[in-house]
Amino acid sequence: MSADQVRVWVDGQRVDEGPAIAAVDHGVTVGDGVFETAKIVDGQVFARTRHHDRMDRSLAGLGLPALDRAHVDEGIASVLGDGPIPFGRLRYTVTGGIGPLGSDRLDGPMTHIVVAGELQRPAPVTTVAVVPWIRNERAATVGLKTTSYAENVVALSAAKSLGATEAIFANGAGELCEGTGSNIFVVRDGVIFTPPLDTGPLAGITRALTIEWCREEGLEVVEESMPLSVLTECDEAFLTSSTRDVQAIGAIRIVPAQETLAGELAAVELADRGLSADPGPVTQQAAEIFARLGKERMDP
């Protein structure tokens, strides 16, 4: 989705081109904001209620007021009203509004931004790269979907330099955690495992639905802390996210550790690994379940 193909709404106005927010908006100056990314299918927003609910949790975590759902829904209707988007991304952002050039806030209105655009559908299999940086599972913003994404930009750039589409983090304890914009699952002996939320990953909407729906269909899914080295031992692995759905991991690359890397992650011995050019049987079943029930339940 390129910048010239998006539809943009900001606080009641369509601004597909040109400036849209103030230079001193707190979301720009210090990253004081939260956002949601939802999938668009045939002009409809998938799991809208769950995304709104999670934004409320993120806003509360930053000490900001609850989401004005009617206002944001007005923006969603605006960007989706120009004609159906067969498959795409809806991103809506709420920032602290106009603020000082520092971490303090002013007592003014928040800024609301809604953007939509078409995407190519994801491939069934992808490559990931494990990066030498960590998720801080004790951070003030852990579990919040904030606009402070600089560390993700760095990690994803390093992953893409190795031909990967996603970067995978461990947490401070050297445990498998998450991707820059996805959750990760591994399969061992037919059982699906994923890191629990107390190890630091974001509570992904697709993650939650994958767990719920796979269990509903009889698959065993366990939320369990795992060492990063599980990636060298698992039978299958897959990602979940709003625009990936369930996507198999076919290969794992390793971004070399830097000399400044500290902590247990530096001692983890990993090597590039190929899994499969096609989704494994359990991953394939999980993807089929998600595709089928997602089509039946647009706002689960």
Side-chain angles (χ1 to χ4, degrees):
M1 181 170 62
S2 63
D4 61 352
Q5 296 174 318
V6 298
R7 309 169 186 180
V8 182
W9 174 98
V10 180
D11 282 320
Q13 301 292 326
R14 282 291 293 273
V15 284
D16 296 354
E17 299 179 1
I21 62 173
V24 290
D25 190 281
H26 230 213
V28 173
T29 55
V30 295
D32 181 22
V34 302
F35 75 98
E36 284 292 320
T37 295
K39 179 175 63 174
I40 302 169
V41 181
D42 296 329
Q44 298 185 67
V45 182
F46 179 70
R48 182 193 301 233
T49 301
R50 288 188 185 235
H51 281 287
H52 283 359
D53 289 346
R54 186 173 64 180
M55 178 167 272
D56 271 337
R57 295 193 294 273
S58 294
L59 287 165
L62 290 188
L64 292 169
L67 178 66
D68 184 340
R69 299 192 181 202
H71 190 45
V72 167
D73 284 344
E74 174 191 339
I76 293 173
S78 175
V79 297
L80 296 184
D82 291 354
I85 294 174
F87 180 81
R89 175 189 287 126
L90 174 80
R91 173 175 167 138
Y92 53 104
T93 304
V94 178
T95 81
I98 301 299
L101 301 180
S103 297
D104 288 338
R105 289 191 181 120
L106 299 179
D107 187 17
M110 297 190 294
T111 302
H112 301 77
I113 305 165
V114 182
V115 180
E118 191 168 346
L119 288 177
Q120 289 188 340
R121 293 184 181 273
V125 182
T126 196
T127 296
V128 303
V130 177
V131 295
W133 307 286
I134 62 169
R135 282 288 195 240
N136 180 2
E137 71 275 20
R138 297 185 178 183
T141 56
V142 66
L144 308 182
K145 198 169 180 66
T146 76
T147 57
S148 302
Y149 252 48
E151 66 176 12
N152 289 330
V153 172
V154 172
L156 187 57
S157 177
K160 285 190 169 183
S161 72
L162 298 180
T165 69
E166 179 61 301
I168 302 299
F169 292 99
N171 65 11
E175 298 165 331
L176 182 65
C177 189
E178 65 175 348
T180 66
S182 65
N183 292 107
I184 187 166
F185 292 72
V186 299
V187 179
R188 294 180 291 174
D189 298 324
V191 178
I192 300 172
F193 295 85
T194 194
L197 298 181
D198 61 9
T199 61
L202 183 74
I205 304 300
T206 308
R207 172 190 183 276
L209 290 172
T210 298
I211 293 171
E212 293 172 24
W213 289 349
C214 284
R215 286 173 175 170
E216 182 180 322
E217 296 279 319
L219 295 180
E220 185 177 357
V221 185
V222 178
E223 296 179 76
E224 178 179 285
S225 300
M226 296 169 283
L228 187 63
S229 59
V230 72
L231 295 176
T232 69
E233 306 160 357
C234 61
D235 303 316
E236 305 172 36
F238 61 86
L239 302 174
T240 62
S241 80
S242 291
T243 55
R244 293 177 189 265
D245 289 345
V246 174
Q247 186 180 42
I249 295 173
I252 300 169
R253 307 283 183 241
I254 308 299
V255 175
Q258 297 181 350
E259 293 181 1
T260 56
L261 182 66
E264 295 184 16
L265 182 59
V268 174
E269 294 185 2
L270 294 174
D272 286 2
R273 182 186 182 200
L275 289 170
S276 175
D278 299 304
V282 177
T283 300
Q284 183 64 43
Q285 192 173 358
E288 185 278 328
I289 290 168
F290 192 91
R292 173 167 45 84
L293 294 183
K295 185 176 292 187
E296 297 173 2
R297 309 172 189 180
M298 185 57 64
D299 195 19

